[in-house]
Amino acid sequence: MPFGHGAFAEQSQAIKNYLAHLDSLGLSPPHRDGVKATKGLVLVWAAAVLEQFWKTYINELCHRYVSSPPRVRRRNLTAAGIFYFDSLAGLASAKSLKRWAKLADFFDDLAKQDASPVQAYPHDGRTVRPEHLELIWRIFSLPGDAFPSPIHRQELNTLADRRNDVAHGNVTPADMGGQVSVLDLRRTIARLEDTVEHCVLSATSKW
């Protein structure tokens, strides 16, 4: 499947394989502390894999929009912001007369709807959260809801919170790992897989 799904699937399978190994190690008392720390780090790993997918996903969406016919782009003007993000940001700093000139240029370009170079990709580089998906759904007019279910939406928020707590040093990996079981982590990965597949199918059906 396109949109970086293959690379994500490969990495998620690697995490699941690793969790199977942790399951057996957790039964051995000498390894329990190490298993806790590793479980905490698995959350960071899973979030990193998702972030890599998300960057690839947005990049491909933008380029599919760019390569689509003008009539298709005109029907999906919310995505045209990728051509004008920097231009619009510069309007606020211009003097009144120049601002009007820039506005005239903007609407002239918008009416032509030529495939301009992409000025910006709609991602802030932060840990992926539900609002990232919901924004992409709005920008690219993707069909249906951004998540397979409310549970999947909450799972993404929980993963982001836990990832940030470990990565920013708010809690140790061992403390975080003590709060989750291997079964919890398997459920997290399964729901991430559901969400990623949902994203890819929605984008493929539209673009």
Side-chain angles (χ1 to χ4, degrees), residues 121-182:
Y121 293 90
H123 181 43
D124 57 5
R126 299 171 70 88
T127 304
V128 181
R129 288 188 178 274
E131 50 265 34
H132 288 101
L133 275 70
E134 289 157 357
L135 178 63
I136 290 302
W137 244 251
R138 181 181 177 190
I139 289 174
F140 291 98
S141 305
L142 298 182
D145 295 324
F147 290 91
S149 78
I151 293 174
H152 290 79
R153 187 184 191 281
Q154 183 55 49
E155 189 71 58
L156 183 55
N157 238 350
T158 300
L159 175 64
D161 287 340
R162 288 171 168 169
R163 178 266 176 207
N164 286 346
D165 279 344
V166 174
H168 297 160
N170 298 328
V171 298
T172 67
D175 286 342
M176 180 59 72
Q179 299 174 30
V180 295
S181 67
V182 171

